[in-house]
Amino acid sequence: MSGLKGWLAGAAWPLWLAHGVDWQAGAFEESLTLDRLDCPLDYRRLRVAARQVYVFAQAHRHGLPRAAGAVELGVDFLRRRAALPGGGYAWRFDRQGRVTDARIDLYDQAFVLLALSAATAILPAAALRGPAMALDDFIESAMAHPAGGYVESLPPGLPRRQNPHMHLLEARLAAAEAFGETCFLERATPLVALFRERFLRGGALLEFFGEDWRAAEPAVVEPGHHCEWIWLLHRHARLTRGPVPAEAAILQDFVDRHGEDASSGALRDALAPDGRVLEAGARLWPQTERLKSEALRRPFRPERLAAAEAALSAYLRPDGLWHERRLPGGAFSTEAAPASSLYHLTCGILEAAALAPR
């Protein structure tokens, strides 16, 4: 794990601080091309702003000079550009930071809550607690769905997904630790119940649903999200001082039986519930999530963590960028590296290092 941490701290964070922050515009770049280190896109997204706040907060904790300034820039963007008068945060912006789409997306709101929690590494918690609690109250009051869970967005849309609920659980657990407010943990626990009652079906975690939580057809399963839920179930159990749910082992069993591409060792993108391959490629982010679940069982299966590290390392470039996907034939794509993936790399590498220190 030391090699991955060294790459993150010595190459990735410095490169993205230098080229992925638009200091003049007070915003973050959406992606960087592998050859020119520029951004080919003409928009900015809320989730990138929020995720980069998290990334540079972690970088600051690990001693990266000027990372604190990037966190302050990101929080300022959230407050001045993204926050909406009636509550919640807008979805998309032009290059100058003007709102171009004011929809309120649940997935993105979760990352704003995570960003506000992470920013306590630099800014006073007292100044961030109010916005964090106001956002969570808004989600609870304005986005709750009568069939359980939350709407995808305002205005509502379909399909409903487990993914935003998973990240809302992550954000509430982070907020509970950052601010010490019991309400965040109290609202996190029903999301674990929702996972049990709606998302986990027949030993596999389903991704898409209708209005009443009826599984969408054809059913899709993503092994990377199995790994994320394993980590979150363990984290929730630690914070609530309860046992790790048996469902964590069910998720791990599915990944062990179906998740890995034998030819490359990478975790696959999308499967059917019976393990049939729906998408033959392998994106970067599932490899980072696999680190967390494998780190949790390192005392019993150390070779599996080593395999996960090797699979992820194949995607990484020495300069601090990465290949975003392994194509079905095994070659790596040369598309621009999306800034959103730096969150996955940062969280996966740091969490795995903390869970399985050497």
Side-chain angles (χ1 to χ4, degrees):
M1 193 61 65
S2 60
L4 291 175
K5 281 192 70 176
W7 173 86
L8 185 66
W13 287 339
L15 181 141
W16 282 88
L17 188 65
H19 298 279
V21 183
D22 186 341
W23 297 96
Q24 184 174 359
F28 298 107
E29 302 292 6
E30 282 284 317
S31 62
L32 293 176
T33 57
L34 302 188
D35 54 350
R36 299 186 307 275
L37 296 179
D38 59 7
C39 179
L41 303 174
D42 63 356
Y43 59 83
R44 304 189 195 276
R45 291 179 299 166
L46 176 62
R47 71 185 57 178
V48 168
R51 285 184 172 193
Q52 294 295 67
V53 169
Y54 168 85
V55 164
F56 288 116
Q58 300 305 319
H60 170 76
R61 289 181 184 273
H62 287 79
L64 181 68
R66 211 183 177 192
V71 173
E72 292 171 344
L73 176 151
V75 171
D76 184 66
F77 183 93
L78 296 176
R79 286 173 170 167
R80 293 197 305 110
R81 307 289 183 88
L84 295 170
Y89 293 77
W91 184 60
R92 188 171 289 218
F93 313 83
D94 64 15
R95 291 280 300 174
Q96 289 69 47
R98 295 183 293 253
V99 174
T100 57
D101 191 327
R103 82 183 70 177
I104 298 173
D105 182 82
L106 178 63
Y107 184 95
D108 288 11
Q109 307 310 300
F111 276 103
V112 173
L113 181 58
L114 181 67
L116 295 172
S117 304
T120 58
I122 289 92
L123 300 170
L128 297 164
R129 181 180 287 105
M133 295 187 71
L135 173 58
D136 204 50
D137 287 344
F138 176 84
I139 293 170
E140 196 67 22
S141 62
M143 303 190 77
H145 194 288
Y150 302 91
V151 296
E152 279 288 311
S153 59
L154 294 174
L158 290 175
R160 302 184 73 188
R161 297 176 297 155
Q162 72 78 23
N163 195 8
H165 294 81
M166 178 187 72
H167 283 297
L168 183 56
L169 172 61
E170 175 189 7
R172 284 175 169 170
L173 295 178
E177 291 188 291
F179 301 112
E181 299 288 348
T182 59
C183 63
F184 293 114
L185 199 55
E186 289 169 354
R187 289 174 178 174
T189 298
L191 291 167
V192 175
L194 189 70
F195 156 80
R196 288 194 178 104
E197 296 164 7
R198 300 297 189 183
F199 304 154
L200 188 63
R201 309 274 182 97
L205 175 72
L206 302 190
E207 292 290 329
F208 305 110
F209 304 86
E211 200 74 56
D212 59 354
W213 290 122
R214 187 172 304 173
E217 294 293 342
V220 176
V221 171
E222 297 185 10
H225 285 152
H226 284 61
C227 296
E228 275 188 276
W229 270 105
I230 292 168
W231 169 64
L232 287 169
L233 292 174
H234 278 261
R235 188 175 179 185
H236 179 263
R238 175 174 60 82
L239 291 178
T240 58
R241 303 180 187 275
V244 176
E247 288 83 359
I250 295 172
L251 294 171
Q252 187 65 67
D253 179 66
F254 183 92
V255 174
D256 288 345
R257 288 188 293 115
H258 304 298
E260 186 176 308
D261 175 12
S263 63
S264 67
L267 205 63
R268 298 183 184 275
D269 283 341
L271 307 172
D274 62 4
R276 287 179 295 110
V277 177
L278 299 180
E279 296 179 15
R283 290 186 62 188
L284 172 88
W285 74 262
Q287 320 316 317
T288 70
E289 301 308 323
R290 182 184 176 192
L291 283 180
K292 301 175 191 175
S293 60
E294 294 296 357
L296 285 163
R297 63 173 179 169
R298 177 175 174 264
F300 314 102
R301 298 289 302 276
E303 78 284 357
R304 299 307 305 152
L305 178 57
E309 291 177 17
L312 174 60
S313 295
Y315 289 72
L316 307 181
R317 292 162 41 111
D319 61 1
L321 294 177
W322 55 85
H323 299 284
E324 180 62 13
R325 67 190 75 239
R326 186 187 285 271
L327 303 174
F332 287 107
S333 71
T334 57
E335 67 199 90
S340 56
S341 292
L342 189 56
Y343 149 79
H344 286 288
L345 287 159
T346 298
C347 187
I349 291 171
L350 294 184
E351 286 291 323
L355 292 166
R358 294 177 181 174

